[in-house]
Amino acid sequence: MPIAILALALGTFGIGTTEFVIMGMLPIVGEDLGVDVPTAGQYVSSYAIGVVVGAPLLTALTVRLARRWTLVGLLVLFTLGNLLSALAPSHEALLATRFLTGLPHGAFFGVAVLVAASLVAPGRRGRAMATVVLGLTVANVVGVPAGTFIAQQLGWRWTFAAIALVGVVATVAVAVLAPRGERDTTAAGSLRAELAAFARPQVLLTLAVVVFGLGGLFASYSYVTPMLTDVSGLAESSVPWVLVLVGVGMTAGSYLGGRMSDRSTLATLAGGLVLVIVVLLALAVFLDGPAAAVVLLVLLGFGSLALGPAIQMRIVEQAGGAPTMVSAGVQSAFNIANTIGAWLGGVVIAAGAGLRAPNLVGAALAVVGLVLLGASALLEVRQRRATTTARAEPVPTVA
């Protein structure tokens, strides 16, 4: 595996840590800034909105630039956002800095997976993309539990400061190790071609699968700390260790998802979504059992992150010769899922339905994602039949 891919994975490690760590320290940040847990959930949503806005905007602005320096610039913006989050004086200020930090997220992922895929043979592209995404999953094994521990011991501001340091190291690594390429002046570098890719029905269906399928994850996982402490009965000090185990499940899911995606993206997506639905329903029932809750959360992480490489491969395949913006669009869809899931989870909690209810909301969202995947598969079959029929038709002769 080229070392440049590991540098890219370090960048996704920092990005994944700052995205997910807030979920492990919502009560700490909320108490310090004087807001309740459902309101503190807005820190999840504000970051996600930043991703949704930033992915198409920054990708459009940089699509014809050298990818190496695009990646470096995005990491600089990410680092600045974390520094400002560490200094945020109020709830409103932290909402703004979380939005800023989310802006480079989607564009970085979109460019990074394409760079990684370009460095290996075609038969290994799923695994190369999975390695970049692996930084995100390792963040859940190491970064999120460590950040939660730092927040508990030193305060949440030190967590964001530590992530900013990771951003500095990642920026230097990418600047030194990423391939030095010229500006992309091909069709893939054309903004018009990139935007036209979004008109493809399969691209839109795949993005919709991300929104609803992974919305199920965030409806539950956004409130993992209060679920574990208030329902499962675990001590707050145990939460970072549970997050380590969940991160291990995510890492295993991402790794196996990459290998399975090289065989069949559709089968990988379907299997992952079915597992997510079953686990979320089980969580709603067995959340009060500490051991069962931990095992189910690990399985939730496994099933959810197994979807990542398959989604990236499918979207690139469906985009034709213009993959950059749709690849970044996956991260926009991912964070729309984050926003919708966290919001709906907070709505049912605020309505008095209890901390089990977000799991039921998540299962319903994942069911919609599975139905949309079925529609995508059916459309693919019809397109293949139409192509086969057109090739089989005799060519008319001129008398």
Side-chain angles (χ1 to χ4, degrees):
M1 188 69 67
I3 193 171
I5 295 179
L6 299 181
L8 298 172
L10 180 60
T12 61
F13 169 79
I15 290 173
T17 300
T18 204
E19 178 176 24
F20 288 110
V21 75
I22 193 68
M23 300 171 188
M25 57 185 193
L26 277 183
I28 299 171
V29 181
E31 181 179 358
D32 186 53
L33 296 180
V35 297
D36 58 18
V37 169
T39 303
Q42 294 173 6
Y43 304 135
V44 178
S45 299
S46 62
Y47 181 93
I49 293 170
V51 179
V52 173
V53 172
L57 178 62
L58 294 182
T59 301
L61 291 174
T62 60
V63 70
R64 295 181 67 87
L65 301 178
R67 285 173 173 169
R68 173 168 168 254
W69 293 115
T70 295
L71 292 168
V72 169
L74 294 170
L75 284 172
V76 168
L77 180 57
F78 162 79
T79 302
L80 176 63
N82 279 288
L83 284 174
L84 293 175
S85 292
L87 300 172
S90 65
H91 169 68
E92 292 76 16
L94 185 57
L95 286 176
T97 60
R98 289 285 292 169
F99 173 82
L100 175 66
T101 309
L103 288 175
H105 177 129
F108 182 86
F109 267 88
V111 176
V113 295
L114 295 177
V115 170
S118 72
L119 295 174
V120 297
R124 297 181 60 86
R125 286 176 181 171
R127 276 164 276 189
M129 291 180 178
T131 301
V132 174
V133 177
L134 189 63
L136 178 67
T137 58
V138 172
N140 284 280
V141 178
V142 179
V144 171
T148 303
F149 179 78
I150 291 170
Q152 291 173 347
Q153 301 301 315
L154 302 176
W156 60 272
R157 297 180 187 277
W158 287 101
T159 297
F160 286 121
I163 297 170
L165 180 60
V166 172
V168 171
V169 176
T171 302
V172 174
V174 170
V176 173
L177 298 173
R180 292 168 169 79
E182 298 297 325
R183 292 177 175 83
D184 191 351
T185 56
T186 65
S190 165
L191 180 58
R192 180 177 296 177
E194 296 286 343
L195 292 173
F198 284 100
R200 297 170 179 256
Q202 286 285 21
V203 168
L204 295 176
L205 279 170
T206 301
L207 293 175
V209 169
V210 177
V211 170
F212 289 96
L214 290 176
L217 166 67
F218 289 111
S220 172
Y221 199 57
S222 297
Y223 302 96
V224 62
T225 296
M227 282 195 299
L228 289 172
T229 55
D230 295 356
V231 181
S232 301
L234 292 175
E236 187 178 88
S237 59
S238 300
V239 172
W241 300 108
V242 175
L243 297 180
V244 168
L245 294 175
V246 175
V248 170
M250 290 181 171
T251 302
S254 180
Y255 174 76
L256 291 177
R259 297 185 70 86
M260 293 167 62
S261 296
D262 282 327
R263 298 179 180 180
S264 173
T265 56
L266 274 174
T268 303
L269 289 171
L273 286 170
V274 169
L275 180 58
V276 167
I277 293 165
V278 171
V279 169
L280 286 170
L281 291 173
L283 267 173
V285 177
F286 299 110
L287 186 59
D288 54 351
V294 172
V295 171
L296 289 169
L297 284 169
V298 171
L299 289 174
L300 178 62
F302 177 89
S304 299
L305 268 294
L307 301 173
I311 289 167
Q312 287 288 354
M313 283 194 67
R314 186 164 178 79
I315 203 79
V316 169
E317 291 168 356
Q318 299 296 340
T324 305
M325 189 166 284
V326 293
S327 183
V330 170
Q331 295 302 314
S332 288
F334 184 84
N335 282 273
I336 292 173
N338 192 337
T339 303
I340 291 174
W343 174 67
L344 289 176
V347 166
V348 295
I349 293 172
L355 286 165
R356 297 175 188 266
N359 297 298
L360 296 175
V361 171
L365 289 172
V367 167
V368 175
L370 186 60
V371 171
L372 290 168
L373 180 64
S376 177
L378 181 60
L379 177 60
E380 187 171 296
V381 170
R382 289 178 176 176
Q383 289 174 335
R384 287 177 179 175
R385 287 178 177 173
T387 301
T388 302
T389 301
R391 290 175 178 173
E393 289 179 354
V395 178
T397 58
V398 180

